[in-house]
């Protein structure tokens, strides 16, 4: 998969990214259907994803593990820990602040990715990128306001807000690490290390919280497996493939499309009808993604042709 010529990837990475974001959107539905503690669901989602990708990595890329530099291995482990902290911080923030505040603050991650990409990766943040980020985040904030009736923003606590921001920072670190390391390391060895580190971190969290590890009915195990295949394999794993071919800021802004996909799935599967603010916000998010990806790529091509 990593050996495809760059000339064949002018369109494919964007299509793959769109598919991955839609697959990631199934996470909210599967979590809603599950009655297991959120940290347990997150743990098994990552564990089962690891069980799927690890045999492929060990069979086809066994020699590459031995060639991993200490820096790449170390930062891949840090990326996995960051992903686990993202899951834990964001889920916990929902217990202390409003849904609107939590979702809005965790969706500030493109700002942190843009800053990190410029300072650490040397990726140029041009006008189209900034405009796209602003538009998409306005839309994300509008979609979040559609949930404000559940828990007024005025009731939000500083602790919950801080956890949501921590979730944004850590997922930004995860994206930036993937963008950097994936230039040198094949997909399956990289995600195997990342997912293993993430699963171990989440297992420690589940133990610290005192949740049961195995006493769940068959329905829950099927949902855990669905989380691994949908949001895990077809979501995060494909995003990590895309990170070799597209800049981290583009991927980060496109990820704001996840709430849009989740809203459409909730309408179809849960009969949750979005209000007008949510619909308008979703359209604005899509406009921001368009500016950051399609329009940005169109304007860039004359410079590279």
């Amino acid at each position: 998969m990593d050996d495809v010529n760059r000339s064949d990837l002018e369109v494919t990475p964007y299509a793959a990214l769109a598919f991955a974001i839609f697959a990631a959107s199934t996470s909210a539905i599967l979590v809603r259907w599950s009655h297991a503690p959120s940290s347990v669901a997150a743990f098994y989602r990552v564990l089962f994803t690891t069980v799927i990708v690890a045999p492929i990595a060990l069979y086809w890329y066994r020699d590459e593990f031995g060639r991993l530099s200490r820096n790449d291995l170390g930062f891949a482990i840090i990326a996995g820990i960051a992903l686990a902290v993202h899951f834990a911080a964001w889920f916990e923030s929902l217990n202390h602040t409003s849904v609107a505040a939590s979702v809005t603050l965790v969706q500030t991650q493109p700002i942190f990715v843009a800053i990190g990409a410029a300072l650490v990766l040397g990726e140029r943040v041009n006008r189209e990128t900034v405009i796209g980020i602003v538009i998409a985040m306005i839309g994300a904030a509008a979609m979040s306001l559609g949930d404000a009736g559940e828990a007024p923003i005025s009731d939000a606590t500083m602790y919950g807000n801080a956890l949501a921001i921590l979730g944004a920072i850590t997922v930004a670190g995860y994206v930036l690490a993937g963008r950097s390391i994936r230039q040198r390391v094949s997909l399956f060895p990289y995600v195997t290390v990342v997912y293993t580190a993430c699963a171990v971190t989440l297992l420690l969290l589940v133990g610290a919280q005192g949740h049961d590890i195995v006493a769940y009915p068959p329905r829950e195990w099927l949902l855990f497996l669905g989380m691994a295949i949908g949001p895990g394999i077809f979501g995060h794993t494909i995003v990590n493939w895309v990170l070799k071919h597209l800049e981290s800021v583009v991927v980060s802004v496109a990820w704001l499309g996840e709430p849009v996909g989740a809203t459409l799935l909730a309408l179809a599967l849960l009969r949750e009808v979005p209000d007008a603010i949510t619909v308008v916000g979703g359209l604005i998010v899509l406009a921001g993604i368009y500016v950051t990806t399609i329009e940005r790529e169109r304007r860039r091509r004359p410079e590279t042709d």
Side-chain angles (χ1 to χ4, degrees):
M1 180 178 282
D2 287 331
D3 296 328
V4 180
N5 292 330
R6 182 65 183 91
S7 60
D8 297 329
L9 291 168
E10 292 298 330
V11 177
T12 302
Y14 290 103
L17 181 58
F19 178 79
I21 297 305
F22 179 78
S25 301
T26 63
S27 178
I29 305 300
L30 295 170
V31 170
R32 177 69 68 85
W33 282 340
S34 174
H35 300 298
S38 58
S39 58
V40 173
F43 164 66
Y44 279 114
R45 163 183 161 172
V46 179
L47 177 65
F48 288 169
T49 303
T50 307
V51 169
I52 294 171
V53 301
I56 299 173
L58 294 174
Y59 183 80
W60 292 104
Y61 300 91
R62 181 171 56 253
D63 294 340
E64 190 166 334
F65 282 98
R67 296 195 300 269
L68 280 174
S69 69
R70 289 186 178 180
N71 283 343
D72 285 344
L73 179 60
F75 281 112
I77 292 173
I78 292 173
I81 296 172
L83 182 60
V85 173
H86 162 71
F87 284 136
W90 185 23
F91 289 164
E92 182 63 19
S93 74
L94 292 168
N95 294 325
H96 301 279
T97 188
S98 68
V99 171
S102 174
V103 174
T104 300
L105 290 172
V106 83
Q107 286 172 344
T108 61
Q109 49 90 9
I111 295 176
F112 299 109
V113 170
I115 294 172
L119 296 179
V120 179
L121 302 181
E123 295 181 356
R124 185 167 61 95
V125 182
N126 58 21
R127 184 180 64 180
E128 287 76 21
T129 302
V130 174
I131 293 174
I133 289 174
V134 171
I135 293 174
M137 292 193 64
I138 290 174
M143 291 189 71
S144 301
L145 290 176
D147 291 328
E150 297 180 14
I153 295 178
S154 60
D155 292 339
T157 67
M158 292 297 293
Y159 178 63
N161 291 344
L163 286 174
I165 293 174
L166 176 61
I169 294 172
T170 49
V171 79
Y174 164 68
V175 170
L176 291 169
R179 171 62 177 168
S180 175
I181 300 173
R182 283 284 293 117
Q183 306 308 304
R184 302 177 297 279
V185 179
S186 299
L187 174 66
F188 285 100
Y190 172 70
V191 296
T192 297
V193 174
V194 170
Y195 295 161
T196 300
C198 182
V200 170
T201 304
L202 288 170
L203 177 60
L204 293 175
L205 175 63
V206 170
Q209 293 176 335
H211 295 310
D212 199 304
I213 298 294
V214 295
Y216 297 98
R219 177 180 180 275
E220 292 295 331
W221 293 103
L222 288 175
L223 288 172
F224 297 156
L225 182 61
M227 293 176 198
I229 295 174
I233 297 297
F234 294 120
H236 277 257
T237 302
I238 291 180
V239 164
N240 278 300
W241 175 76
V242 171
L243 280 168
K244 181 175 182 178
H245 308 290
L246 296 179
E247 293 180 353
S248 55
V249 174
V250 173
V251 174
S252 178
V253 173
W255 220 321
L256 292 180
E258 181 179 346
V260 180
T263 299
L264 294 175
L265 287 172
L267 174 62
L269 300 176
L270 302 178
R271 298 185 182 275
E272 292 186 359
V273 180
D275 57 22
I277 295 178
T278 301
V279 172
V280 172
L283 294 175
I284 294 174
V285 167
L286 294 177
I289 293 173
Y290 174 82
V291 172
T292 309
T293 56
I294 307 301
E295 183 66 15
R296 184 170 183 271
E297 182 71 7
R298 184 184 68 80
R299 294 192 181 191
R300 187 186 66 84
R301 282 179 181 174
E303 301 174 3
T304 58
D305 287 345

